[in-house]
Amino acid sequence: SQTIHQWPATLVQPVGSPLSLECTVEGTSNPNLYWYRQAAGRGLQLLFYSVGIGQISSEVPQNLSASRPQDRQFILSSKKLLLSDSGFYLCAWSVQVYGYTFGSGTRLTVV
Amino acid sequence: QQQVKQSPQSLIVQKGGISIINCAYENTAFDYFPWYQQFPGKGPALLIAIRPDVSEKKEGRFTISFNKSAKQFSLHIMDSQPGDSATYFCAARKGGSYIPTFGRGTSLIVHP
């Protein structure tokens, strides 16, 4: 069965520090991968998506970047975190047209 | 421009009552309408979904009602339980696209 792993679950980072969040998918090949951010107001904001290795599409210009070094690995990064980067970050994947599965999320607090 | 409008933003229901969350869309190219349930500190999980060729889909206590002409769909939770307390997102997806458009979410609290 397919599973999605996202870590860490929680993270507290100082302003100006770098960020690396990792997401991996097991049990499937060539998934579409997505990064979402959920602010305190609950809404889901699509940040990046990838349809293949090295292919990244950005939905919102910001202080973050994404990379897909392997088929089932998706990384969200920042060189210097801002206070406004705080939030709940969710990775998701899909293969079939109607499938869309989220990971358990990373709570990032920038202090 | 918000393509999927969800209401209410928050909802409080007594145990055993009916919870109703409504969504409206504008794009007639949408052909798949899922609902997601999210518990605090967790990622959203697919709850139930419907395609526009049917007007209703029921899974246990959860029912989606779909009105194609009005471009509206709603989630009904019958016999609501405290364990149903969560945030619910409606979504709509265009044919050929993998990325759904999400509503802004409804925070449901079911009082015991």
Side-chain angles (χ1 to χ4, degrees):
Chain A
S1 62
Q2 301 94 343
T3 56
I4 179 169
H5 300 282
Q6 193 178 339
W7 67 91
T10 59
L11 190 60
V12 180
Q13 292 284 96
V15 169
S17 64
L19 173 73
S20 181
L21 302 180
E22 188 167 342
C23 172
T24 60
V25 179
E26 296 180 355
T28 187
S29 297
N30 196 31
N32 293 331
L33 297 171
Y34 314 85
W35 278 111
Y36 281 83
R37 178 168 59 198
Q38 189 173 25
R42 293 193 312 273
L44 295 165
Q45 180 186 33
L46 179 63
L47 302 176
F48 302 94
Y49 67 94
S50 172
V51 298
I53 296 173
Q55 301 178 59
I56 308 295
S57 296
S58 174
E59 289 294 301
V60 181
Q62 58 213 322
N63 186 41
L64 302 169
S65 62
S67 62
R68 185 170 177 174
Q70 301 180 39
D71 180 44
R72 290 171 287 178
Q73 183 184 32
F74 205 22
I75 297 173
L76 183 68
S77 304
S78 174
K79 292 182 178 179
K80 291 185 178 181
L81 283 168
L82 305 172
L83 287 174
S84 58
D85 292 323
S86 294
F88 191 48
Y89 288 83
L90 291 157
C91 181
W93 72 274
S94 67
V95 174
Q96 297 177 354
V97 176
Y98 298 111
Y100 211 84
T101 303
F102 286 92
S104 55
T106 295
R107 174 73 60 190
L108 172 65
T109 303
V110 182
V111 297
Chain B
Q1 181 182 3
Q2 185 185 1
Q3 296 189 54
V4 178
K5 296 182 179 180
Q6 183 172 348
S7 62
Q9 184 175 344
S10 61
L11 181 62
I12 299 175
V13 174
Q14 293 296 318
K15 178 182 177 181
I18 302 174
S19 303
I20 301 174
I21 303 171
N22 300 299
C23 285
Y25 64 97
E26 299 171 357
N27 192 335
T28 56
F30 289 142
D31 71 348
Y32 177 66
F33 301 87
W35 284 88
Y36 289 83
Q37 179 187 55
Q38 183 182 28
F39 294 108
K42 303 296 183 182
L46 180 63
L47 181 63
I48 186 172
I50 197 168
R51 296 188 66 184
D53 53 349
V54 297
S55 60
E56 185 176 282
K57 183 174 182 179
K58 183 177 180 179
E59 292 184 1
R61 297 184 292 108
F62 299 90
T63 300
I64 300 178
S65 297
F66 187 83
N67 186 329
K68 187 175 181 179
S69 61
K71 292 186 285 186
Q72 296 176 348
F73 58 110
S74 60
L75 176 69
H76 295 236
I77 306 174
M78 310 300 289
D79 187 25
S80 297
Q81 299 296 312
D84 297 329
S85 298
T87 299
Y88 292 82
F89 292 95
C90 65
R93 192 194 56 80
K94 287 189 290 186
S97 171
Y98 287 97
I99 302 174
T101 298
F102 287 93
R104 292 184 176 174
T106 296
S107 175
L108 171 66
I109 297 174
V110 181
H111 284 311

